[in-house]
Amino acid sequence: MKAAIFRGGDIVVDSLPEPVPARGQVLVKTLACGICGSDLHAAKHAHRMVAVTKRIPGRVPMDLSRDVVFGHEFCCEIIDYGSGCERRVPVGHRVIGLPFMAGPEGMVLLGYSNVFNGAFAEQMILQESATFPVPDHVPTDVAALAEPLAVAVHAVAASTPGPDCAFVVYGCGPVGLFVIARLRYLGLGPILAVDPDAARRRFAEALGADVVTAPSPEHVGAWWDKQGAPLGVSDAAAARAAGVARRRPIIFECVGKPGLLKSIAEEAPAGAAMVVVGLCMSPDIIEPSYLIQKQIAMRFVFAYDAAEFAEAARMLGKDPARLAPLVTGHETLERVSSTFDLLERGGSQAKILIRPT
């Protein structure tokens, strides 16, 4: 079968043996797979990613001397089953699934494994128990958004939101846009979206952001003032003493660049909660004494659980057209490398899908 392979630091198109499903596994044909920001980080910072993974108990790092096939945001069609499967979904029907597999060394993440290839290939293996059928009314492109949407479902839940909150989302790439969509789906707001790209700000507005702005400490600070959540500690105390109605400030960092946590903290109201979703691959500096005095909480989130993935699938099924515009392009396996280069340069793309066949 044909695959886009991360080999020796480059992405090359080559042939691999067709995978064979073992017990409890299902063989699928890849229909569409999104390019994740984590894929871009893995291609550019592979050695750094492996070094960090080795320090985390229970994680199995990639062996960069061997082939890796990226791709974990997928919608597939069932080709065949291994032994011991329940066969809940008929052959020829579409599925999505959690990109986790029980391998010989432990649990691995599809797309970052040397044993199981990811979805930038014509075929792949999934754990049958981790698959979900795709309803007929959900287009393949939309179904492939379930995995990144699950990241947003997890991030929003981690923020412990409520009707008394106000939200700022920094970064309107796919994850930030999915966070906005999730907040609106839950009936939460108001929402301010911050991004330097005008097209991405328009996406944010379409998905439910009440206000959008290019990065601007003045604009952000003024918006927080309107929510009764001033930036200064003494101002916040005075507002409380005066009985000013105050919304609980929640901030999502969905960019992942060095220095951003520090700058966001400076733009954050006293007592804000920051949920860090963006994957920064470089060491960063924060100022504990500053965060302490402003009583800012930080929570770093990663991935999701099976229930959150299922919730993302349900959300897509209720209104598939809602998120369909976020698919801004399609490419083939031969174009994976050049598409990575395009996305690394930034710009107005939301989600580009790879169609292997």
Side-chain angles (χ1 to χ4, degrees), residues 122-184:
E122 293 177 319
Q123 298 179 11
M124 65 189 301
I125 296 289
L126 300 178
Q127 205 83 41
E128 188 202 16
S129 59
T131 60
F132 299 80
V134 177
D136 290 341
H137 71 283
V138 177
T140 293
D141 283 359
V142 175
L145 302 178
E147 197 278 342
L149 178 58
V151 174
V153 170
H154 176 65
V156 170
S159 74
T160 62
D164 61 332
C165 296
F167 307 88
V168 171
V169 178
Y170 284 86
C172 296
V175 172
L177 293 172
F178 287 130
V179 166
I180 293 168
R182 179 62 179 171
L183 290 170
R184 277 304 180 211

Side-chain angles (χ1 to χ4, degrees), residues 215-231:
S216 167
E218 295 78 15
H219 290 171
V220 173
W223 189 83
W224 280 124
D225 280 338
K226 291 180 181 178
Q227 314 309 318
L231 271 58

Side-chain angles (χ1 to χ4, degrees), residues 234-245:
S234 57
D235 293 336
R240 287 195 298 271
V244 174

Side-chain angles (χ1 to χ4, degrees), residues 44-262:
K44 188 175 181 179
H45 305 282
H47 291 282
R48 174 67 181 163
M49 181 175 283
V50 168
V52 171
T53 303
K54 286 180 177 179
R55 293 163 51 201
I56 301 173
R59 296 295 306 278
V60 181
M62 297 181 289
D63 180 350
L64 297 179
S65 68
R66 300 164 59 195
D67 287 349
V68 177
V69 178
F70 295 151
H72 59 274
E73 303 178 356
F74 47 77
C75 177
C76 303
E77 177 185 311
I78 292 181
I79 299 175
D80 196 9
Y81 283 96
S83 63
C85 288
E86 297 181 14
R87 298 176 179 260
R88 296 174 291 110
V89 182
V91 169
H93 285 234
R94 296 175 302 155
V95 292
I96 54 177
L98 280 75
F100 302 107
M101 293 288 291
E105 297 179 311
M107 191 63 66
V108 296
L109 178 60
L110 286 174
Y112 304 108
S113 166
N114 301 106
V115 178
F116 301 101
N117 65 268
F120 293 162
E122 293 177 319
Q123 298 179 11
M124 65 189 301
I125 296 289
L126 300 178
Q127 205 83 41
E128 188 202 16
S129 59
T131 60
F132 299 80
V134 177
D136 290 341
H137 71 283
V138 177
T140 293
D141 283 359
V142 175
L145 302 178
E147 197 278 342
L149 178 58
V151 174
V153 170
H154 176 65
V156 170
S159 74
T160 62
D164 61 332
C165 296
F167 307 88
V168 171
V169 178
Y170 284 86
C172 296
V175 172
L177 293 172
F178 287 130
V179 166
I180 293 168
R182 179 62 179 171
L183 290 170
R184 277 304 180 211
Y185 178 81
L186 296 174
L188 298 169
I191 305 167
L192 170 67
V194 182
D195 196 281
D197 186 82
R200 289 187 168 186
R201 293 198 299 271
R202 288 192 292 271
F203 276 126
E205 202 166 27
L207 288 174
D210 297 282
V211 179
V212 298
T213 182
S216 167
E218 295 78 15
H219 290 171
V220 173
W223 189 83
W224 280 124
D225 280 338
K226 291 180 181 178
Q227 314 309 318
L231 271 58
V233 175
S234 57
D235 293 336
R240 287 195 298 271
V244 174
R246 180 183 190 272
R247 287 187 172 272
R248 183 159 56 94
I250 296 179
I251 298 166
F252 294 91
E253 191 281 288
C254 302
V255 181
K257 290 185 177 179
L260 197 55
L261 294 180
K262 182 176 180 292

